[in-house]
Amino acid sequence: MASDNEQLNNVQDDAEAVEDIVNEDEKQESSIAKSEFCDLPHGEAMKFSETYRITASKRVNLILLAGEVGSGKTTLLSSLFHLYQRGPYVGYLFAGSDTLIGFERRCHPARTSSENAAPETHRTLRGNTKSFLHLRLRDKNTKYCSRELLIADLSGEDFAEASHSVDDAKRLVFIQRADHFVLLIDGDKIADSTSQRSARNKAMMLLRTLSDSGILTGDSNVDIVLSKWDIVHSRLQEDPSHQMFIDELNSDIDKKYGKRFARIRYFNIAARPSVTSSDIPLGYGLEQVLPSWVEDNKRTEHREYALNRQNASEFNCFAERVLRGK
Amino acid sequence: MSKHKQFIMGLPGAGKTTFLAALWHVLESNEVDAKLKLHKVHTDHAYLESIRNLWLDAKEIDRTAISDEKYVSMLLKNGDDIAEIIFPDLSGESFRQQWAEREIANIHAEMLEGADGCLLFIHPDKVVDETLISEVNEIVLREEATSQEPEDPWDPIKSPTQVQLVELLQFSAYINKRRPIKLSIIVSAWDLLISKYQTPSQWTKKHLSLFWQYLTANPEIYETKYLGISAQGGGLDNADDLRKMTPSERIIVIDDDKKQSHDITLPISWIMEQ
């Protein structure tokens, strides 16, 4: 007969064996539970590589929002989504988006549900590769098929680097693919005599570098957008000379680049006025610019090929060197 | 003979269980002339009877007060045509999970795949809208923002209802590979809206505009019918009045042509029509 110690050891061995079986069963249940579910599309802003499934099969317009930190790129995007939540906008119906989560993340800080005291927009982090938001729109008056928009919301810091050197700018080669290059200039800084000159200089430097590097070329459609127009408008009441500064800035851009790009247009936008009014409502100015973003595009013979094949490796190189940080 | 499969969807509290209770009563009682008749039930009758009894007594169908039955399936017939109606999750939590967790139970995906139609429930009192800080009265903001508490991080559950509904439909299109589908949009508790809105699509266009636009802009995928349904027939604070009525005649079903009836099988029979 086994001794007491042996019996105790046997009981302990049995208990450990049972525990092992229970743990194994739990693991199996967990793996079974996990295998009972399948993943759905993530809905976040896309990496460039993820845009292929849209660009490969549909007519897509690529809009690139550029500008220094805080100029209003992300706010413009979130306001556009806010507007569509209220109704059809400028003759287009919302027909879907593969990046609803991406839009929602950007919209949240401006909503009362965020419990912020004032509307905010989170800064797009430098090196953020998930930069492309998707919007599908449909003209409500025609039988045309839907139009796909891919709007790239890149970090202002990435553009700041690009404005300093042609080599850095050349890494932004995907800008060549953009149907619309939109340069946002911070209206809050332009309408402030302590910051307007540097703000002007930064905008001009970025245009110059992108043009000198061959990124912006003779078939580029460029929109110059003065953001935060509600603030500009208010400051103009106090100091009308700011308007002269703005006019001179636009005139200088026209003189230097008017013949180098296919088209340059100028807009004043208040994507999210600090206090909305009937004069400057939510999305003021967007109604002027959105229709052409939807309808106009660059048509090059090998555009589809370029987007899907040739430039993939170029963009990946860019992503590795710049967007992920040095 | 044709066989259809219909899938019931809706976020928590959208009115699916109350609809089921009323539907079960109409099918069982034959009090009103419904287009569809009961062919077979795949669910425990005890559960259906328990929610039916609560409905008959004009009491709130509190899910916590009854057994935890999430899945219901039944076969209804119109002549030789049979429709399989599947309520995959009466609680609606799985639909919320699809939006928040970005995953779907394989069994739900299998049920959805090959569905000929869906009934999507929306409760007007449960709609979460978005309000921008910039549009809130400045005085209210100052009063409410007295503390320096950190910003509330984004939680997908807080997203506006219409955004979640669009995504649910996008998921169903994704699973069905964008195959055309018939969709009955049911605005439940229609008794709350009947005096303010003439048609359910009118309410949807105003209060769920993004969702309405999405359906309107995708006719190749969705053939849509809007219905306003009050399964209870009125507020439960008027329960005494409701109990005096013939139960099936409490039910209000109204379509976008403003045709009104008690036939709660209409959203299902419409999907069966060729």
Side-chain angles (χ1 to χ4, degrees):
Chain A
M1 192 177 229
S3 68
D4 287 346
N5 277 345
E6 281 174 350
Q7 282 182 336
L8 182 61
N9 286 339
N10 287 341
V11 167
Q12 283 176 336
D13 286 344
D14 286 344
E16 284 172 4
V18 167
E19 190 177 345
D20 285 344
I21 290 169
V22 169
N23 286 341
E24 191 54 41
D25 282 347
E26 283 174 352
K27 276 188 204 169
Q28 283 189 357
E29 281 179 9
S30 170
S31 62
I32 288 169
K34 281 184 184 166
S35 69
E36 289 176 349
F37 290 84
C38 62
D39 291 335
L40 291 164
H42 58 67
E44 301 278 3
M46 296 184 211
K47 299 178 191 175
F48 186 74
S49 58
E50 292 172 310
T51 64
Y52 289 173
R53 57 188 167 79
I54 297 171
T55 60
S57 59
K58 301 180 175 76
R59 179 186 154 179
V60 182
N61 280 5
L62 177 61
I63 293 104
L64 195 82
L65 303 183
E68 61 170 326
V69 175
S71 57
K73 301 181 291 298
T74 305
T75 303
L76 188 155
L77 282 170
S78 60
S79 292
L80 188 58
F81 191 56
H82 286 310
L83 287 164
Y84 270 107
Q85 291 192 56
R86 290 166 188 210
Y89 188 62
V90 263
Y92 295 101
L93 296 170
F94 170 82
S97 167
D98 287 1
T99 59
L100 285 178
I101 295 287
F103 273 114
E104 281 292 294
R105 285 191 191 280
R106 284 157 175 79
C107 288
H108 175 68
R111 292 178 178 151
T112 54
S113 55
S114 71
E115 299 189 6
N116 282 337
E120 291 180 16
T121 302
H122 286 159
R123 268 173 54 173
T124 307
L125 297 177
R126 181 173 176 274
N128 179 26
T129 58
K130 294 193 173 186
S131 305
F132 292 82
L133 292 176
H134 170 245
L135 204 54
R136 184 178 300 122
L137 301 177
R138 188 164 192 155
D139 187 323
K140 63 179 185 175
N141 294 320
T142 73
K143 300 282 184 196
Y144 292 159
C145 60
S146 301
R147 308 298 173 90
E148 314 279 337
L149 297 185
L150 281 172
I151 312 175
D153 175 19
L154 295 175
S155 161
E157 287 155 320
D158 292 323
F159 281 104
E161 285 187 1
S163 68
H164 295 154
S165 86
V166 168
D167 283 340
D168 280 329
K170 280 184 177 171
R171 295 191 183 110
L172 299 176
V173 66
F174 62 93
I175 294 177
Q176 287 179 328
R177 314 297 175 254
D179 293 284
H180 299 272
F181 177 82
V182 183
L183 177 60
L184 276 85
I185 302 176
D186 191 334
D188 188 7
K189 292 184 178 170
I190 287 291
D192 180 343
S193 55
T194 66
S195 59
Q196 62 189 189
R197 282 163 187 77
S198 63
R200 176 193 181 284
N201 186 50
K202 285 175 188 171
M204 296 298 283
M205 280 304 298
L206 182 60
L207 282 175
R208 177 180 165 179
T209 313
L210 291 177
S211 177
D212 288 350
S213 62
I215 300 295
L216 290 180
T217 62
D219 65 349
S220 297
N221 296 321
V222 176
D223 291 333
I224 307 296
V225 169
L226 186 65
S227 66
K228 305 177 191 175
W229 178 252
D230 54 320
I231 296 174
V232 176
H233 185 260
S234 167
R235 300 244 178 95
L236 285 175
Q237 316 297 313
E238 301 157 7
D239 185 355
S241 69
H242 292 316
Q243 185 62 59
M244 204 181 315
F245 186 88
I246 294 166
D247 291 341
E248 280 175 3
L249 169 61
N250 291 345
S251 175
D252 284 346
I253 292 174
D254 229 31
K255 273 184 207 157
K256 287 186 176 145
Y257 303 105
K259 291 181 182 169
R260 291 170 80 168
F261 304 145
R263 182 183 75 192
I264 304 182
R265 301 182 306 172
Y266 302 87
F267 300 96
N268 300 325
I269 282 178
R272 192 182 65 217
S274 47
V275 179
T276 57
S277 69
S278 57
D279 291 334
I280 306 184
L282 178 73
Y284 173 89
L286 279 179
E287 74 282 359
Q288 303 291 325
V289 73
L290 183 65
S292 66
W293 287 359
V294 177
E295 302 294 340
D296 302 343
N297 53 61
K298 285 163 66 170
R299 278 283 169 249
T300 60
E301 192 173 308
H302 302 294
R303 183 171 183 274
E304 298 306 329
Y305 172 82
L307 277 173
N308 295 327
R309 299 277 190 91
Q310 190 174 352
N311 300 316
S313 59
E314 291 172 352
F315 187 87
N316 287 342
C317 290
F318 163 74
E320 284 174 13
R321 285 179 207 151
V322 178
L323 289 188
R324 290 182 189 148
K326 294 178 184 174
Chain B
M1 181 184 94
S2 61
K3 196 167 176 196
H4 306 256
K5 187 165 81 164
Q6 300 186 21
F7 190 83
I8 312 298
M9 298 166 60
L11 294 170
K16 300 182 292 298
T17 308
T18 310
F19 175 87
L20 175 60
L23 173 67
W24 178 242
H25 176 78
V26 164
L27 294 170
E28 267 276 298
S29 69
N30 292 311
E31 284 172 354
V32 294
D33 186 23
K35 264 200 169 175
L36 301 181
K37 309 295 176 195
L38 180 66
H39 182 61
K40 198 173 182 181
V41 164
H42 297 307
T43 302
D44 180 13
H45 279 218
Y47 170 76
L48 291 172
E49 284 299 316
S50 66
I51 60 172
R52 178 189 183 179
N53 287 333
L54 287 170
W55 179 82
L56 283 169
D57 290 340
K59 288 179 180 166
E60 178 126 18
I61 302 177
D62 179 2
R63 285 193 300 277
T64 59
I66 50 181
S67 66
D68 185 24
E69 187 73 42
K70 283 188 175 183
Y71 171 85
V72 170
S73 165
M74 57 178 68
L75 295 178
L76 306 187
K77 64 180 178 183
N78 182 5
D80 288 335
D81 294 339
I82 304 277
E84 181 183 10
I85 316 300
I86 302 169
F87 291 74
D89 176 21
L90 282 166
S91 72
E93 290 301 328
S94 65
F95 299 108
R96 176 172 282 170
Q97 185 180 14
Q98 286 178 35
W99 160 254
E101 307 294 332
R102 321 302 289 184
E103 61 184 13
I104 184 170
N106 284 329
I107 192 165
H108 286 182
E110 283 164 19
M111 289 177 201
L112 188 52
E113 210 173 0
D116 301 288
C118 288
L119 281 69
L120 175 57
F121 285 76
I122 305 164
H123 195 296
D125 274 358
K126 300 283 196 275
V127 168
V128 172
D129 207 349
E130 65 148 21
T131 308
L132 293 182
I133 295 169
S134 58
E135 294 175 329
V136 173
N137 184 294
E138 210 174 313
I139 296 170
V140 171
L141 266 180
R142 276 205 299 272
E143 285 172 354
E144 289 182 353
T146 51
S147 69
Q148 293 299 316
E149 286 174 8
E151 170 207 325
D152 206 16
W154 181 71
D155 181 350
I157 301 299
K158 291 184 182 174
S159 286
T161 301
Q162 59 177 348
V163 177
Q164 298 188 42
L165 291 174
V166 166
E167 190 75 294
L168 284 183
L169 288 183
Q170 292 192 135
F171 286 158
S172 71
Y174 169 77
I175 289 166
N176 270 311
K177 299 177 178 53
R178 296 177 74 82
R179 189 171 57 82
I181 197 168
K182 291 180 88 167
L183 192 59
S184 288
I185 303 296
I186 296 174
V187 181
S188 51
W190 184 252
D191 54 283
L192 299 173
L193 305 173
I194 200 166
S195 60
K196 299 174 208 167
Y197 296 92
Q198 296 204 335
T199 64
S201 66
Q202 197 182 40
W203 176 86
T204 308
K205 188 176 177 181
K206 181 167 181 187
H207 292 277
L208 296 172
S209 182
L210 189 83
F211 174 72
W212 176 86
Q213 289 174 65
Y214 174 72
L215 288 172
T216 306
N218 288 285
E220 300 88 358
I221 305 175
Y222 307 106
E223 185 183 349
T224 305
K225 184 176 182 66
Y226 292 89
L227 295 124
I229 293 183
S230 174
Q232 289 285 12
L236 296 183
D237 46 349
N238 293 324
D240 285 341
D241 292 337
L242 294 175
R243 285 190 283 266
K244 288 173 188 165
M245 298 171 70
T246 302
S248 296
E249 291 179 2
R250 282 162 47 189
I251 298 166
I252 303 168
V253 179
I254 188 164
D255 65 14
D256 256 19
D257 295 323
K258 300 179 199 171
K259 281 189 227 157
Q260 193 165 321
S261 81
H262 304 301
D263 185 0
I264 202 168
T265 69
L266 277 178
I268 303 167
S269 65
W270 171 75
I271 292 175
M272 292 171 75
E273 287 170 16
Q274 295 299 323

